[in-house]
Amino acid sequence: MLNIDKCAYSNKLINVHPMEKFIFIIVTIIVCLSSNSVITPVFILFSVSLLTIFAARTPFRFYIKLMLIPFSFLLLGVITILVEIKISPAITFSITPQSIDTASKLFLRALGSSSCLYFFSLTTPLIDITAILKKTKCPEIIIELISLIYRLIFILIDITGRIHTSQSSRLGYSSLENQYRSLSQLISSMFVLSYKKAHDLFVSLESRCYNGNINVLEKHYRLSAKNIMFIVFLECVFIVLEFTL
Amino acid sequence: MDKALKLTFTYYTAIILAVSEPAHAMHIMEGFLPFNWALIWIVASLPFIVYGVIKINRLVKVNPRLKMLLVLAGAFMFVLSALKLPSITGSSSHPTGIGLGGILFGPLVMSVLGMIVLLFQALLLAHGGITTIGANVFAMGIIGPIIVTIVYKCAKKLHCPLPINVFLATFFGNLFVYTTTSLQLALAFPATEGGIRVSFLKFLGIFGITQIPLGISEAIITVLIFNFLTSYKACDLHELRIIPKDENKELDCSC
């Protein structure tokens, strides 16, 4: 179900220092969002996508599928901006050169920065992300909640999947009325089960002397000069593109 | 534009709309907000998060078991958002859990949990984004649960029966999330003629087609969930609703 998570653990860039990846995508997103040209977001979209597909070896079809997830929101939003409505004297719909400009730039910016987000989420497992948060002085409680929730999610997804299968094998989703009933039963039993699982998790933690922080050995990463040079080079290209074109 | 070009354009738009998953619960996607608005919404939701963190820290110190409930709530809401709602209009979409979470856990907890859940959604499900997280938290983690709680409390004061209570709270919660998101989009992209007001109405109109049926659909589901929960787990519900008020109560999980 969580294919992104699977990719995050099995990609070829998993041994790259997570901080390098994090800084790379943050700077790229900032450049992409503050860009006012058409070329820069397109260039960012292509270069980051190529990195994700060829350097990290994410399956191409999966990547395209991911790109399509926010598309309905993107299209609706862009079309709304594209079409100008005049109310007085009569209601008229029009597309002006200015609105085309805003909408197309927005479209490309959104795609460009989405590719950055995907690059990050497809190459960095959540464990590394909590390590980054620790370094950025994020409150302890948030990091702890994130890591505990992350553990519980997989148990819950497994249970939910099984309940869903058994429900649908008994024609639980055959009609609209059945769908409503089955889904609400599924969610309420999921709630009860997650209550129980969270309780079990807490009891097992407490019996191992849990006092509020879970200390695990973190994977040791090395900062690589080559990668940093590459990132700086790429960012320079993005910025130069922005200002020359 | 000549006719062939127009046709190809329509064709591809139709294909993309058919292939991509239809509108989720109005998560603003990554990169959709300009840099300054992304920053403004992050700053706007920061005080709520900080207050939430301080309050949670205090509550957890008194009763460490509460942490378990927070973990439960977060994981539950995340998995909820990955489920599919039954469709009336034929499009598939996902419940937001704002109604359920707001009623069960209260707005205070929801601001922090909302942020965590939105982070998970952005990273693991590709719904929403990192730079737009501020705007999304503001709509779904702050405004939504506050409205849910207000409506729920008001309806309770008026002695409405529980199903109607839950229905109204969830429906208005979802409605306000959708209005807030439309407002956020309108502020970032005002129309050249008519400014923010016209743009706001445009976004309301276009997203309303999917969001209003969704709100009703989710409200029905939430009512049904509450029926099931109250019928066989009344004591858990009771415990949960007590949390924000009574800090010292030792939770008894034996039932």
Side-chain angles (χ1 to χ4, degrees):
Chain A
M1 195 165 179
L2 294 178
N3 289 324
I4 299 183
D5 197 61
K6 213 195 279 168
C7 271
Y9 283 100
S10 59
N11 71 85
K12 291 272 186 288
L13 291 180
I14 192 166
N15 290 322
V16 174
H17 198 290
M19 215 56 184
E20 288 171 10
K21 291 184 263 192
F22 182 66
I23 288 172
F24 170 60
I25 66 123
I26 286 295
V27 177
T28 316
I29 285 180
I30 290 173
V31 171
C32 187
L33 285 187
S34 38
S35 140
N36 204 22
S37 70
V38 180
I39 299 293
T40 322
V42 172
F43 191 73
I44 289 176
L45 172 65
F46 276 101
S47 49
V48 176
S49 297
L50 287 180
L51 273 180
T52 321
I53 292 164
F54 291 106
R57 296 289 164 87
T58 308
F60 181 68
R61 289 174 68 106
F62 178 57
Y63 187 71
I64 293 294
K65 253 192 190 163
L66 271 187
M67 270 295 181
L68 286 175
I69 288 178
F71 240 87
S72 56
F73 177 86
L74 183 61
L75 281 183
L76 280 179
V78 166
I79 289 169
T80 317
I81 291 165
L82 188 67
V83 179
E84 295 268 352
I85 300 177
K86 252 186 242 166
I87 298 167
S88 58
I91 297 178
T92 49
F93 298 92
S94 59
I95 297 177
T96 58
Q98 202 191 349
S99 73
I100 292 178
D101 186 58
T102 325
S104 56
K105 275 177 188 164
L106 170 67
F107 183 80
L108 295 171
R109 268 207 316 258
L111 278 185
S113 36
S114 290
S115 71
C116 298
L117 172 66
Y118 291 155
F119 172 76
F120 187 60
S121 59
L122 286 168
T123 56
T124 323
L126 214 101
I127 310 286
D128 288 346
I129 296 173
T130 51
I132 293 174
L133 285 176
K134 245 179 226 167
K135 278 197 192 112
T136 52
K137 299 272 186 296
C138 179
E140 281 280 308
I141 184 88
I142 290 186
I143 296 168
E144 202 191 328
L145 283 177
I146 287 178
S147 45
L148 285 176
I149 288 172
Y150 182 63
R151 263 151 240 268
L152 199 61
I153 279 173
F154 291 94
I155 302 173
L156 275 188
I157 283 180
D158 183 47
I159 296 172
T160 322
R162 271 190 271 164
I163 296 178
H164 189 90
T165 311
S166 66
Q167 277 181 330
S168 34
S169 69
R170 290 168 181 77
L171 298 179
Y173 292 89
S174 56
S175 68
L176 192 66
E177 197 199 326
N178 279 350
Q179 278 181 32
Y180 273 102
R181 209 185 33 236
S182 302
L183 188 71
S184 48
Q185 259 170 341
L186 169 64
I187 293 174
S188 52
S189 56
M190 197 178 91
F191 179 79
V192 175
L193 279 169
S194 55
Y195 188 94
K196 197 181 161 308
K197 289 287 171 191
H199 181 234
D200 290 351
L201 182 73
F202 201 75
V203 168
S204 60
L205 278 172
E206 259 189 339
S207 62
R208 288 165 180 79
C209 303
Y210 175 64
N211 60 355
N213 42 357
I214 305 168
N215 291 316
V216 285
L217 286 175
E218 271 166 25
K219 204 171 151 189
H220 191 71
Y221 290 100
R222 262 223 203 106
L223 282 169
S224 116
K226 212 174 87 189
N227 287 341
I228 294 173
M229 298 263 279
F230 179 69
I231 291 168
V232 171
F233 168 72
L234 214 53
E235 296 303 340
C236 287
V237 172
F238 293 150
I239 293 168
V240 166
L241 259 181
E242 172 65 27
F243 284 108
T244 50
L245 289 165
Chain B
M1 240 192 287
D2 70 328
K3 208 175 168 192
L5 202 68
K6 246 186 217 168
L7 271 177
T8 16
F9 179 72
T10 333
Y11 175 71
Y12 280 111
T13 318
I15 294 260
I16 285 167
L17 275 178
V19 171
S20 64
E21 278 187 56
H24 298 293
M26 286 287 276
H27 290 70
I28 300 179
M29 75 176 284
E30 174 65 55
F32 205 81
L33 288 179
F35 188 59
N36 53 339
W37 280 106
L39 217 60
I40 286 172
W41 290 114
I42 289 173
V43 172
S45 42
L46 210 59
F48 294 91
I49 303 280
V50 171
Y51 182 68
V53 167
I54 291 171
K55 197 78 193 258
I56 286 176
N57 263 333
R58 210 182 298 150
L59 285 173
V60 163
K61 216 164 255 166
V62 178
N63 184 357
R65 264 184 194 288
L66 270 178
K67 215 180 275 168
M68 169 202 101
L69 283 171
L70 293 173
V71 171
L72 144 88
F76 175 70
M77 280 189 320
F78 175 79
V79 178
L80 194 67
S81 68
L83 291 173
K84 275 199 174 103
L85 275 180
S87 56
I88 302 173
T89 51
S91 64
S92 71
S93 54
H94 307 265
T96 54
I98 293 163
L100 200 60
I103 297 169
L104 289 178
F105 311 114
L108 186 98
V109 169
M110 284 290 282
S111 65
V112 178
L113 279 184
M115 185 190 70
I116 296 175
V117 172
L118 283 165
L119 188 74
F120 274 112
Q121 286 174 341
L123 292 171
L124 300 179
L125 295 177
H127 303 176
I130 296 288
T131 53
T132 52
I133 202 164
N136 285 333
V137 167
F138 196 81
M140 293 181 201
I142 296 166
I143 298 285
I146 287 177
I147 297 292
V148 167
T149 317
I150 291 172
V151 174
Y152 184 76
K153 290 235 164 98
C154 286
K156 214 175 170 187
K157 280 237 170 78
L158 294 170
H159 298 291
C160 279
L162 186 71
I164 295 177
N165 247 347
V166 173
F167 182 87
L168 288 178
T170 315
F171 180 68
F172 279 106
N174 277 355
L175 203 66
F176 269 81
V177 168
Y178 137 73
T179 320
T180 315
T181 314
S182 301
L183 188 65
Q184 287 169 336
L185 291 173
L187 284 171
F189 302 102
T192 35
E193 259 181 77
I196 293 164
R197 205 171 57 94
V198 169
S199 177
F200 177 52
L201 290 176
K202 273 201 296 187
F203 279 112
L204 269 186
I206 205 152
F207 285 108
I209 303 165
T210 50
Q211 294 301 315
I212 291 172
L214 268 184
I216 296 171
S217 182
E218 192 178 343
I220 295 171
I221 287 284
T222 314
V223 170
L224 291 174
I225 295 167
F226 261 82
N227 281 348
F228 283 118
L229 279 178
T230 42
S231 63
Y232 79 121
K233 269 286 171 178
C235 80
D236 283 357
L237 271 186
H238 186 64
E239 264 175 25
L240 281 172
R241 236 176 289 156
I242 269 167
I243 298 160
K245 291 175 208 151
D246 193 357
E247 301 174 10
N248 297 317
K249 188 171 186 286
E250 188 59 42
L251 290 172
D252 176 26
C253 300
S254 58
C255 53

